[in-house]
Amino acid sequence: MHQSKWIILTIIIACQLIVVLDASIMVTAIPQIGRSLHMSTTSLTWVQNSYILAFGGFLLLGARAGDLLGRRRMLGIGIGLFSMTSLLAGLAPTAEFLLISRAFQGFAAALATPAALALLSTSFVEAKERARAIAMYSAVSAAGGSIGLILGGFFTDFVSWRLGMFINVPIGIALIYLVQKFIQKTTIRTGRFDIWGALTSVLGMTGLVYGFVQAADYGWGKPETWIPLAAGIVLLSAFILIEARAAEPIIPLRLFASRQRSGAYLGRFLMVGGNFSLFFFIPQYLQNAAHFSSFEAGLAFLPFTVAQFGMMYLMHGLVHRFGNIKVLMAGLIIAIIGTLWLSRIISVQGHFFPEMFILLTIMGIGAGMVFQPLTAMGLTDVEPQDTGAASGLINVAHQSGASLGLAVLITVFNQSSHTDQAFSLQFAHAISNSLLGSVVFIIAALAVTLLCLIPARQVRRKQALQVDK
């Protein structure tokens, strides 16, 4: 690989790394953030959700902006805005200021990420180089979450949780310089922005998530709960109508015409809904019930990360031998077993090693077997003009699943917290029930595989046989 391409790949990977890190770097700091900014456990979910919702909701609009305004330009703007909002988040004097800053961070990430991925595709055209570049990009994406947990825990224990935000500023300044120096301008074309589609999708998902979080505090019968839930449903319905009529929609509804693609999007949404919550609940359990430090809680996720990362090297052979469906089903079953078993052993007296260590390894193996097949099936038979939208929809399903899953499971957590037990026992009990909720999400993803993806594969086989005849 030519030196200039190595520099371009380094820039793209560094951009992706800071975006992925910021989805998790605050997790191990959450107990400390709660104490310093006087936030409850349910309100702390917005430290994650405000970032994730804006990131996932504006991804497709960000991709469209890169096409119309230039990818290098949008990458530079996205990194610059990300650095500025990271500084504001680190300086946040109040909870409200922090959450607003995190939302703008997510918006900035949604501008930078699609531009970086598109530049990777156009910079690495030769098949072998592209495969190598995508493998490195995927490895960083997979490992970034756990690296964020470790860094966030280290900063929280030895300096301050705010350093996790401040560190983005010098990195961002360096990246802006490198983007301007080494990445060439891309072509700009004419077209329209689907602003109303983007806004209704983001506000609709925010309404649903906010409603579930409110249910954790107020219960299901209060206006504080059902008004945002109703608003979310109305806005998402409006989004579907807008996309059906828009000349250039951010999500062409024809992408859902394929049963296999629809199943892959829904399966990803459900799997992430169950899987992402682990990164929120387990570090809190380790700190509040098992008395780990923030740094130790971050290090505890290494078994999960190493196992997930290691599976990436085995997936090509597994898929080649058994096919996407069988590998996907095996991964989901392994993830269900690991998560269910972990939910049963959670207790104040539970030891991290060997029980949790082994189970986190098992769960990492399961997660490592799931996402590559879902990605491949989400891009099956997509027309060339819809490739960008289909890739974006995969990311949207991922981020939306994370935010809505966490909102639902924090309701389970809160409902399970009202017992007469001591705080540590009460907390462990609530975490255990939340992990059972994660199991339900992953079982639902397995059901989608059985009901949508397997029949779709059978239909495709029959069509292929008819063509051969």
Side-chain angles (χ1 to χ4, degrees), residues 50-256:
S50 56
Y51 178 83
I52 296 168
L53 280 168
F55 183 20
F58 287 109
L59 263 172
L60 293 173
L61 191 68
R64 185 74 176 148
D67 291 340
L68 299 182
L69 303 177
R71 288 161 185 164
R72 188 184 80 163
R73 177 185 297 176
M74 293 314 301
L75 182 59
I77 291 173
I79 294 171
L81 183 59
F82 191 86
S83 300
M84 184 177 69
T85 51
S86 295
L87 177 63
L88 293 175
L91 294 171
T94 65
E96 293 77 13
F97 194 98
L98 174 63
L99 299 184
I100 292 170
S101 300
R102 289 283 283 168
F104 276 103
Q105 269 190 300
F107 175 73
L111 298 181
T113 300
L117 189 54
L119 286 167
L120 184 146
S121 297
T122 56
S123 301
F124 299 90
V125 179
E126 194 270 323
K128 190 175 180 180
E129 280 190 348
R130 175 177 286 192
R132 191 176 180 185
I134 290 175
M136 294 177 70
Y137 181 90
S138 300
V140 166
S141 299
S146 290
I147 294 171
L149 291 175
I150 295 168
L151 281 178
F154 179 82
F155 294 149
T156 301
D157 276 352
F158 299 107
V159 189
S160 167
W161 64 266
R162 297 177 185 273
L163 185 57
M165 296 291 97
F166 292 147
I167 198 172
N168 291 329
V169 179
I171 295 173
I173 291 171
L175 283 175
I176 291 171
Y177 169 77
L178 293 171
V179 165
Q180 297 302 315
K181 183 170 183 178
F182 291 103
I183 295 181
Q184 300 196 0
K185 290 182 179 180
T186 56
T187 56
I188 297 173
R189 59 188 180 88
T190 58
R192 298 178 182 178
F193 285 108
D194 183 12
I195 299 292
W196 288 112
L199 286 176
T200 50
S201 65
V202 172
L203 293 175
M205 279 301 300
T206 301
L208 286 183
V209 170
Y210 185 71
F212 278 108
V213 173
Q214 290 293 89
D217 285 332
Y218 296 100
W220 292 101
K222 299 289 185 180
E224 290 89 347
T225 298
W226 59 259
I227 288 177
L229 285 174
I233 293 169
V234 169
L235 285 165
L236 289 175
S237 300
F239 166 70
I240 293 172
L241 292 175
I242 289 169
E243 297 307 281
R245 299 177 181 179
E248 298 181 38
I250 55 172
I251 299 181
L253 297 184
R254 58 182 172 269
L255 287 174
F256 297 99

Side-chain angles (χ1 to χ4, degrees), residues 255-317:
L255 287 174
F256 297 99
S258 164
R259 186 173 184 172
Q260 180 163 309
R261 284 198 302 269
S262 297
Y265 303 141
L266 180 57
R268 190 182 202 94
F269 177 90
L270 292 167
M271 175 61 186
V272 176
N275 198 57
F276 180 80
S277 59
L278 303 174
F279 289 82
F280 182 84
F281 289 116
I282 291 179
Q284 290 204 68
Y285 162 77
L286 291 172
Q287 292 177 73
N288 288 309
H291 310 298
F292 278 40
S293 69
S294 298
F295 184 46
E296 289 170 339
L299 287 174
F301 257 87
L302 274 178
F304 184 98
T305 305
V306 171
Q308 185 179 16
F309 191 81
M311 288 307 300
M312 294 180 60
Y313 292 94
L314 301 176
M315 283 301 293
H316 177 75

